[in-house]
């Protein structure tokens, strides 16, 4: 099962308490305070791991608590630090604060990390509180409590190109033709129920293409499967907007194009603004609507590429143009909105 959004609770370890102790040795009078410091509590650290592909591990375990620091001891011995708790997530995971939905981290590279909650500081032992006028301090400082917060882990697949469009327009077939991916292909809606990734090679270059489940009208509000996967094309640099130009489903291709773009805009203005190459698919079935569709979409400022994914026609021109555009398109970054006031004790 592909899991791409989960809520977890993380808590760092408490700091150890400082020690109240006095040096007591034969022949040494008034040895003075020698209470050691408490150890720092463990932090909870989230790390991107290229060996992880989904957030499935977090469906059943929701709470993650780091180890507490040990208390200080006599003879100026400090307590042992609590071990940090490392949480491994897939590359491309966004970390949000569930309380205010702020983006706290964008873990888009292998081994990139984020300290979700820092460990509590250890308390000072009484050896720190001795002065010329207070030579027998009989107190120490307590360790700082750990912090707790609820987080949302949201996986956004890392791909260069995203395939969008209505169900059954040929996105999975196109992916299977241009890459080594083996998506499930069948003549019914929502054949694709999880995102599929494929590697496309062209000369000495390569790009990753993501096939997203069909986006239908109302997807941004939860209709169909699109709402669950629109997030995965937020990180792409380019979109292939695939349209059934033959009208095999009885729909108007221009209206399909408009409705899909309306869903993108309703979900995210930044998503709607991504560059698109319009793929007029299924010309092997019929090209009766192709000229009208091409003229209208071109008038709106988009490039149209007539293809037949099933017959492997027009594919090389589309792929070549995509590689040309990717040379200059930047990789999207998400603005970090860390707010330390959202960390609670």
């Amino acid at each position: 099962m592909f899991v791409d959004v989960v809520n977890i609770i993380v808590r760092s370890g408490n700091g150890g308490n400082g020690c109240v102790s006095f040096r007591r040795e034969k022949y040494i009078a008034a040895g003075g305070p020698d209470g050691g410091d408490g150890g720092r509590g463990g932090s909870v650290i989230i790390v991107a791991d290229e060996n992880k592909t989904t957030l499935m591990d977090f469906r059943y375990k929701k709470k993650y608590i780091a180890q507490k620091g040990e208390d200080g001891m006599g003879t100026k011995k400090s307590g042992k630090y609590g071990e940090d708790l490392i949480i491994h997530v897939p590359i491309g995971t966004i970390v949000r604060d569930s309380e205010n939905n702020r983006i706290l981290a964008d873990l888009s590279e292998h081994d990139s990390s984020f300290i979700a909650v820092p460990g509590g500081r250890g308390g000072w032992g009484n050896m720190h509180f001795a002065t010329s006028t207070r030579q027998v301090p009989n107190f120490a400082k307590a360790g700082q409590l750990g912090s707790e917060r609820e987080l949302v882990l949201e996986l956004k697949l890392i791909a260069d190109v995203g395939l969008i469009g209505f169900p059954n327009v040929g996105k999975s077939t196109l992916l299977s033709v241009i890459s080594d991916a083996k998506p499930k292909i069948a003549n019914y809606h929502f054949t694709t129920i999880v995102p599929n990734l494929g590697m496309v090679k062209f000369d000495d270059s390569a790009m990753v293409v993501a096939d997203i489940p069909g986006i239908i009208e109302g997807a941004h509000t939860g209709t169909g499967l699109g709402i669950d996967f629109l997030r995965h094309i937020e990180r792409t640099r380019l979109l292939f907007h695939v349209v059934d130009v033959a009208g095999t489903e009885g729909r108007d291709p221009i209206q399909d194009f408009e409705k899909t773009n309306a869903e993108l805009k309703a979900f995210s203005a930044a998503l709607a603004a991504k560059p698109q190459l319009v793929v007029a698919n299924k010309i092997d079935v019929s090209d009766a609507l192709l000229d009208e569709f091409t003229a209208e979409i071109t008038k709106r400022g988009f490039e149209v590429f007539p293809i037949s994914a099933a017959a492997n026609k027009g594919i090389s021109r589309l792929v070549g143009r995509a590689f040309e555009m990717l040379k200059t398109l930047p990789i999207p970054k998400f603005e970090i909105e860390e707010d330390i006031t959202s960390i609670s004790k």
Side-chain angles (χ1 to χ4, degrees):
M1 180 181 293
F2 187 85
V3 179
D4 56 359
V5 179
V6 293
N7 284 57
I8 63 171
I9 296 173
V10 293
R11 182 174 181 82
S12 58
N14 297 336
N17 297 320
C19 175
V20 177
S21 175
F22 297 91
R23 187 178 181 187
R24 294 288 186 266
E25 294 184 41
K26 193 175 182 180
Y27 307 123
I28 298 179
D34 67 351
D37 301 336
R40 176 187 59 81
S43 301
V44 178
I45 304 174
I46 302 176
V47 178
D49 186 342
E50 62 186 4
N51 297 312
K52 296 285 185 179
T53 56
T54 80
L55 299 172
M56 184 71 174
D57 294 344
F58 304 98
R59 286 198 69 192
Y60 306 107
K61 183 178 179 182
K62 296 293 186 180
K63 194 157 189 175
Y64 296 82
I65 304 174
Q67 189 178 56
K68 66 180 181 179
E70 292 184 357
D71 295 340
M73 295 166 281
T75 64
K76 299 183 180 180
K77 291 181 180 178
S78 296
K80 184 180 178 181
Y81 280 17
E83 288 189 16
D84 293 334
L85 177 61
I86 309 298
I87 298 176
H88 295 272
V89 298
I91 296 175
T93 299
I94 298 291
V95 183
R96 296 180 183 271
D97 189 309
S98 67
E99 184 177 342
N100 50 36
N101 208 37
R102 288 178 180 270
I103 296 178
L104 308 178
D106 178 8
L107 305 178
S108 58
E109 297 178 1
H110 179 62
D111 279 342
S112 56
S113 62
F114 166 64
I115 300 176
V117 276
R121 292 191 300 270
W124 279 1
N126 68 337
M127 66 178 179
H128 292 282
F129 300 103
T131 67
S132 59
T133 58
R134 186 177 58 206
Q135 297 182 5
V136 188
N138 60 355
F139 61 89
K141 191 173 182 180
Q144 184 185 46
L145 295 177
S147 304
E148 181 175 296
R149 73 196 313 182
E150 184 175 352
L151 302 174
V152 179
L153 304 181
E154 180 179 346
L155 176 59
K156 298 178 186 290
L157 293 179
I158 295 180
D160 299 300
V161 177
L163 302 180
I164 62 171
F166 267 65
N168 214 26
V169 295
K171 300 188 300 296
S172 296
T173 302
L174 175 59
L175 181 66
S176 70
V177 170
I178 64 177
S179 75
D180 54 0
K182 299 288 188 281
K184 181 179 180 180
I185 300 173
N187 189 29
Y188 58 85
H189 289 184
F190 301 119
T191 307
T192 303
I193 58 175
V194 299
N196 292 304
L197 293 178
M199 179 70 72
V200 181
K201 297 179 180 179
F202 186 79
D203 293 334
D204 294 328
S205 302
M207 66 180 178
V208 178
V209 179
D211 173 21
I212 308 300
I215 300 171
I216 64 175
E217 192 171 10
H220 73 280
T221 63
T223 304
L225 298 174
I227 186 62
D228 292 327
F229 299 106
L230 279 167
R231 66 177 64 90
H232 294 302
I233 51 177
E234 286 189 290
R235 203 185 285 276
T236 59
R237 295 188 282 161
L238 175 65
L239 299 177
F240 283 180
H241 192 153
V242 185
V243 178
D244 175 7
V245 78
T248 58
E249 297 284 314
R251 299 188 308 266
D252 179 79
I254 295 176
Q255 290 183 2
D256 279 5
F257 177 81
E258 292 173 342
K259 288 176 181 178
T260 301
N261 277 332
E263 292 304 316
L264 297 183
K265 187 174 182 179
F267 183 79
S268 164
L271 188 56
K274 286 184 181 293
Q276 296 183 18
L277 297 181
V278 181
V279 182
N281 193 23
K282 302 189 180 183
I283 59 172
D284 58 314
V285 177
S286 172
D287 61 359
L289 302 174
L290 179 59
D291 290 343
E292 179 186 353
F293 177 80
T294 302
E296 178 61 28
I297 301 305
T298 302
K299 186 170 64 177
R300 302 185 188 191
F302 295 93
E303 293 183 69
V304 179
F305 293 80
I307 72 160
S308 168
N312 201 358
K313 293 181 179 179
I315 302 297
S316 59
R317 177 171 168 261
L318 170 65
V319 172
R321 178 58 176 145
F323 273 100
E324 181 183 339
M325 293 181 67
L326 288 174
K327 291 178 182 178
T328 59
L329 292 176
I331 298 175
K333 296 291 185 182
F334 294 89
E335 183 179 354
I336 307 303
E337 307 167 298
E338 171 68 289
D339 180 6
I340 60 174
T341 61
S342 64
I343 302 179
S344 60
K345 298 295 185 196

